[in-house]
Amino acid sequence: MTDNEIIVLINSDNSAELQFQKCKIVTPAFIGKNGYTNNKQEGDGCTPIGEFSLGLMLGTHEENLNKNYDYAKINSNMYWVDDCNSKYYNTLVDITMVEKDWNSAEHLVDYPVQYEYLVEIKSNPLNVSGKGSAIFLHCSNNNATQGCVAINSKDMQMLVNNLDSNTKIKIITKSNINNVIIY
């Protein structure tokens, strides 16, 4: 484990803890309402386990304080497509820039609490239809997610301000801890 790796440790009761040594964060986390999975499927309500790169950073704030990571402010034109039949499946689209071919998408502006800070977890980097979309690390509303990982806003703000292009996230179960050093 490096200090630039985010660890999400899931307990047998599906409670979880997020750790980010780089900025000394150890905080409770929420995962999918149906637990976790090795085989993510669209709409299963499970958080994928594994090691993943991070992608887009979005949020409700005017500017990003982290100069080492690109950021975009969420606006009313932004949708994350979750329709398995769309050519835009598992991608962020601006409704004014593309021709709509989907029947289902997450309107990001509708989640101002959860998406105050949001970072894409690249659990389906090739956007394979049906293998999961809109998996994010985001702020918590103190409830289980649809498959994302969520933590409190204060720790999420500190986390996003310490990310860089080399930061990875490792989502693991306590029973599969192996060589991971927990602090």
Side-chain angles (χ1 to χ4, degrees), residues 17-84:
E17 180 179 87
L18 180 140
Q19 304 174 4
F20 191 27
Q21 184 178 2
K22 184 175 187 178
C23 50
K24 308 291 188 248
I25 294 174
V26 177
T27 188
F30 291 90
I31 64 165
K33 65 182 181 180
N34 294 325
Y36 60 88
T37 185
N38 283 318
N39 184 24
K40 180 70 183 155
Q41 300 295 309
E42 185 63 43
D44 64 6
C46 293
T47 297
I49 58 173
E51 184 172 353
F52 308 107
S53 295
L54 298 176
L56 299 174
M57 181 191 299
L58 306 167
T60 61
H61 299 274
E62 286 299 324
E63 67 179 64
N64 180 16
L65 300 176
N66 182 342
K67 304 304 180 204
N68 296 316
Y69 212 98
D70 288 338
Y71 171 84
K73 182 179 187 291
I74 293 172
N75 66 52
S76 61
N77 297 325
M78 293 178 166
Y79 289 79
W80 203 284
V81 179
D82 57 14
D83 182 339
C84 295

Side-chain angles (χ1 to χ4, degrees), residues 85-118:
N85 296 313
S86 170
K87 66 183 173 187
Y88 301 109
Y89 178 73
N90 193 33
T91 59
L92 174 68
V93 296
D94 180 323
I95 193 89
T96 66
M97 307 295 280
V98 298
E99 186 173 334
K100 183 180 176 191
D101 75 343
W102 60 86
N103 293 317
S104 177
E106 200 167 300
H107 192 205
L108 300 183
V109 76
D110 291 345
Y111 303 93
V113 172
Q114 295 93 322
Y115 296 167
E116 177 184 3
Y117 301 102
L118 167 160

